[in-house]
Short mmCIF file of all heavy atoms in Angstrom, two decimals:
data_model
loop_
_atom_site.label_atom_id
_atom_site.label_comp_id
_atom_site.label_asym_id
_atom_site.label_seq_id
_atom_site.Cartn_x
_atom_site.Cartn_y
_atom_site.Cartn_z
N PHE A 392 5.66 190.99 284.76
CA PHE A 392 5.22 191.39 286.09
C PHE A 392 4.65 190.21 286.88
O PHE A 392 4.96 190.03 288.06
CB PHE A 392 4.17 192.50 285.98
CG PHE A 392 3.32 192.65 287.21
CD1 PHE A 392 3.83 193.23 288.35
CD2 PHE A 392 2.02 192.18 287.22
CE1 PHE A 392 3.05 193.36 289.49
CE2 PHE A 392 1.23 192.30 288.34
CZ PHE A 392 1.75 192.89 289.49
N PHE A 396 6.16 188.88 290.41
CA PHE A 396 5.37 188.92 291.64
C PHE A 396 5.29 187.54 292.28
O PHE A 396 5.36 187.39 293.50
CB PHE A 396 3.97 189.47 291.33
CG PHE A 396 3.13 189.70 292.55
CD1 PHE A 396 3.65 190.36 293.66
CD2 PHE A 396 1.81 189.28 292.59
CE1 PHE A 396 2.87 190.59 294.79
CE2 PHE A 396 1.03 189.50 293.71
CZ PHE A 396 1.55 190.16 294.81
N ILE A 455 8.92 194.78 288.93
CA ILE A 455 7.63 195.36 289.30
C ILE A 455 7.68 196.88 289.17
O ILE A 455 6.75 197.51 288.67
CB ILE A 455 7.25 194.94 290.73
CG1 ILE A 455 6.97 193.43 290.78
CG2 ILE A 455 6.03 195.72 291.23
CD1 ILE A 455 6.81 192.86 292.18
N TYR A 456 8.78 197.46 289.61
CA TYR A 456 8.94 198.92 289.54
C TYR A 456 8.92 199.39 288.08
O TYR A 456 8.29 200.40 287.75
CB TYR A 456 10.25 199.32 290.21
CG TYR A 456 10.60 200.78 290.04
CD1 TYR A 456 9.83 201.79 290.62
CD2 TYR A 456 11.71 201.15 289.29
CE1 TYR A 456 10.16 203.13 290.46
CE2 TYR A 456 12.05 202.50 289.13
CZ TYR A 456 11.28 203.47 289.71
OH TYR A 456 11.60 204.79 289.55
N LYS A 459 5.15 198.52 286.61
CA LYS A 459 4.03 199.19 287.28
C LYS A 459 4.36 200.60 287.74
O LYS A 459 3.44 201.37 288.07
CB LYS A 459 3.59 198.36 288.50
CG LYS A 459 2.90 197.06 288.14
CD LYS A 459 1.53 197.32 287.55
CE LYS A 459 0.72 196.04 287.40
NZ LYS A 459 -0.63 196.29 286.89
N GLY A 460 5.63 200.95 287.82
CA GLY A 460 5.99 202.25 288.35
C GLY A 460 5.76 202.36 289.83
O GLY A 460 5.62 203.45 290.38
N LYS A 461 5.73 201.21 290.54
CA LYS A 461 5.48 201.16 291.98
C LYS A 461 6.72 200.63 292.70
O LYS A 461 7.26 199.58 292.33
CB LYS A 461 4.30 200.25 292.30
CG LYS A 461 2.99 200.66 291.65
CD LYS A 461 2.39 201.89 292.31
CE LYS A 461 1.01 202.19 291.78
NZ LYS A 461 0.40 203.36 292.42
N ASP A 462 7.16 201.35 293.71
CA ASP A 462 8.31 200.93 294.52
C ASP A 462 7.79 200.07 295.67
O ASP A 462 7.11 200.56 296.57
CB ASP A 462 9.05 202.15 295.06
CG ASP A 462 10.39 201.79 295.68
OD1 ASP A 462 10.58 200.61 296.04
OD2 ASP A 462 11.24 202.68 295.82
N VAL A 463 8.10 198.77 295.62
CA VAL A 463 7.56 197.84 296.63
C VAL A 463 8.66 197.29 297.54
O VAL A 463 8.51 196.23 298.15
CB VAL A 463 6.79 196.67 295.95
CG1 VAL A 463 5.58 197.20 295.20
CG2 VAL A 463 7.71 195.90 295.00
N ILE A 466 8.53 196.25 302.05
CA ILE A 466 7.18 196.05 302.57
C ILE A 466 6.81 194.58 302.42
O ILE A 466 7.40 193.84 301.63
CB ILE A 466 6.15 196.95 301.85
CG1 ILE A 466 6.10 196.67 300.34
CG2 ILE A 466 6.44 198.41 302.10
CD1 ILE A 466 5.06 197.49 299.60
N ASP A 468 4.59 191.03 301.70
CA ASP A 468 3.91 190.56 300.49
C ASP A 468 2.46 191.05 300.43
O ASP A 468 1.95 191.40 299.37
CB ASP A 468 3.94 189.02 300.44
CG ASP A 468 5.31 188.49 300.05
OD1 ASP A 468 6.09 189.24 299.44
OD2 ASP A 468 5.60 187.32 300.36
N ASP A 469 1.78 191.05 301.59
CA ASP A 469 0.40 191.52 301.61
C ASP A 469 0.33 192.99 301.22
O ASP A 469 -0.57 193.41 300.48
CB ASP A 469 -0.20 191.31 303.01
CG ASP A 469 -0.44 189.84 303.32
OD1 ASP A 469 -0.50 189.04 302.36
OD2 ASP A 469 -0.56 189.50 304.51
N ASP A 470 1.29 193.77 301.73
CA ASP A 470 1.31 195.19 301.40
C ASP A 470 1.67 195.41 299.94
O ASP A 470 1.18 196.35 299.30
CB ASP A 470 2.29 195.93 302.30
CG ASP A 470 1.80 196.05 303.74
OD1 ASP A 470 0.58 195.96 303.94
OD2 ASP A 470 2.63 196.23 304.65
N VAL A 471 2.55 194.54 299.41
CA VAL A 471 2.89 194.63 297.98
C VAL A 471 1.63 194.45 297.13
O VAL A 471 1.36 195.22 296.22
CB VAL A 471 3.95 193.57 297.59
CG1 VAL A 471 4.09 193.50 296.07
CG2 VAL A 471 5.29 193.89 298.22
N ALA A 472 0.86 193.42 297.46
CA ALA A 472 -0.38 193.15 296.71
C ALA A 472 -1.33 194.35 296.81
O ALA A 472 -1.97 194.73 295.82
CB ALA A 472 -1.04 191.90 297.24
N GLN A 473 -1.41 194.94 297.99
CA GLN A 473 -2.31 196.08 298.18
C GLN A 473 -1.87 197.28 297.36
O GLN A 473 -2.68 197.98 296.75
CB GLN A 473 -2.36 196.45 299.67
CG GLN A 473 -3.48 197.41 300.03
CD GLN A 473 -4.86 196.82 299.75
OE1 GLN A 473 -5.10 195.64 299.97
NE2 GLN A 473 -5.75 197.64 299.21
N VAL A 474 -0.55 197.53 297.34
CA VAL A 474 -0.01 198.65 296.56
C VAL A 474 -0.31 198.47 295.08
O VAL A 474 -0.69 199.39 294.37
CB VAL A 474 1.51 198.80 296.79
CG1 VAL A 474 2.13 199.73 295.77
CG2 VAL A 474 1.79 199.31 298.20
N LEU A 475 -0.14 197.23 294.60
CA LEU A 475 -0.32 196.97 293.18
C LEU A 475 -1.79 197.03 292.77
O LEU A 475 -2.11 197.30 291.60
CB LEU A 475 0.27 195.61 292.81
CG LEU A 475 1.80 195.52 293.00
CD1 LEU A 475 2.29 194.12 292.70
CD2 LEU A 475 2.51 196.53 292.12
N LEU A 476 -2.69 196.78 293.72
CA LEU A 476 -4.11 196.87 293.43
C LEU A 476 -4.60 198.31 293.44
O LEU A 476 -5.63 198.63 292.86
CB LEU A 476 -4.92 196.06 294.46
CG LEU A 476 -4.84 194.53 294.30
CD1 LEU A 476 -5.52 193.86 295.49
CD2 LEU A 476 -5.47 194.08 293.00
N ASN A 477 -3.82 199.16 294.10
CA ASN A 477 -4.19 200.57 294.20
C ASN A 477 -3.85 201.28 292.87
O ASN A 477 -2.71 201.33 292.46
CB ASN A 477 -3.41 201.24 295.34
CG ASN A 477 -3.87 202.66 295.58
OD1 ASN A 477 -4.67 203.20 294.84
ND2 ASN A 477 -3.32 203.27 296.61
N LYS A 478 -4.82 201.81 292.22
CA LYS A 478 -4.64 202.42 290.91
C LYS A 478 -4.14 203.86 291.00
O LYS A 478 -3.76 204.47 290.00
CB LYS A 478 -5.96 202.40 290.12
CG LYS A 478 -6.51 201.00 289.91
CD LYS A 478 -5.52 200.11 289.15
CE LYS A 478 -6.13 198.73 288.90
NZ LYS A 478 -5.19 197.83 288.20
#
Side-chain angles (χ1 to χ4, degrees):
F392 160 75
F396 186 47
I455 292 171
Y456 173 67
K459 290 289 189 177
K461 300 287 187 179
D462 191 340
V463 296
I466 60 178
D468 285 338
D469 289 341
D470 289 337
V471 169
Q473 193 62 39
V474 167
L475 296 177
L476 287 172
N477 186 354
K478 301 301 182 182

